[in-house]
Amino acid sequence: MKTGACAPDRRTAPEAMGAVVNHRRIVDGRHALDPARWRAADWEYRALGRP
């Protein structure tokens, strides 16, 4: 099912997402993203159950 929201996954480039948001903050509720990659692209990365 498609929704209007943009849900990032492992293929999503953090740099591309950064161009369409006001604040580079992301919460990874499924541990599906690479934290080092998102942080390296200047994102504030948080994951449920992780520091």
Side-chain angles (χ1 to χ4, degrees):
M1 170 185 359
K2 280 192 169 184
T3 64
C6 181
D9 63 18
R10 291 187 188 271
R11 299 168 298 198
T12 304
E15 300 80 12
M17 289 290 292
V20 296
V21 298
N22 289 326
H23 303 284
R24 290 182 175 217
R25 295 184 192 120
I26 192 155
V27 176
D28 184 4
R30 299 183 310 151
H31 301 240
L33 305 175
D34 179 4
R37 183 177 176 205
W38 286 82
R39 288 183 177 128
D42 295 324
W43 280 78
E44 181 183 325
Y45 174 90
R46 300 275 195 249
L48 299 178
R50 289 186 185 171

